Amino acid sequence: MAKTDTENLPSKAAVLEAAQNQLLAVAKFTVKFNADFAVKDDAQAQAVGADLKVIKSALNSIEDERKKFTKPLDELKKFFMDGFRPAENALKTAEVIAKRALLEYQQELARA
């Protein structure tokens, strides 16, 4: 994405669709592992261990999908922040110098 190219930003509809698809894909785990879930035997413990591997993989998949949508936004935000940074830094430097000079003046008055 070019730094100022907003045409590549995802639409709200595309993001919502992707998020809903992810939710549907993991629904069996959210239903299975509810607040009342408990492991009752060794076989179930092994099954839960396997489910945890699938859950971890699904979490990674969700993160990858999310980044697909947020990366262009992050790049655009960085472009905006970098554009304003020189003015901000110049003012911060001026502020430090002005405060230091005022403090030195006030200290000089106090000594007199």
Side-chain angles (χ1 to χ4, degrees):
M1 175 176 134
K3 288 191 175 185
T4 58
D5 183 6
T6 58
E7 292 177 13
N8 290 333
L9 294 179
S11 69
K12 288 181 182 179
V15 173
L16 284 175
E17 180 181 354
Q20 288 170 347
N21 288 341
Q22 291 288 331
L23 188 56
L24 290 173
V26 301
K28 72 176 184 177
F29 293 111
T30 59
V31 170
K32 181 177 182 178
F33 297 114
N34 61 41
D36 297 327
F37 180 80
V39 175
K40 295 181 171 82
D41 56 39
D42 288 343
Q44 192 178 22
Q46 287 182 341
V48 170
D51 285 342
L52 285 171
K53 289 177 184 178
V54 174
I55 288 171
K56 185 63 174 175
S57 177
L59 284 168
N60 290 335
S61 175
I62 289 170
E63 181 72 4
D64 291 344
E65 186 75 7
R66 182 191 61 78
K67 285 181 179 178
K68 181 176 85 176
F69 289 107
T70 60
K71 188 171 190 258
L73 297 170
D74 293 340
E75 290 172 356
L76 190 58
K77 180 182 177 187
K78 182 181 180 319
F79 172 76
F80 291 148
M81 298 298 286
D82 289 348
F84 286 94
R85 193 163 286 116
E88 181 183 20
N89 288 343
L91 278 176
K92 285 180 178 179
T93 299
E95 179 184 35
V96 167
I97 292 169
K99 284 181 176 180
R100 185 179 326 125
L102 183 58
L103 180 61
E104 288 173 2
Y105 172 74
Q106 290 169 339
Q107 288 172 342
E108 187 64 33
L109 285 177
R111 283 191 287 267

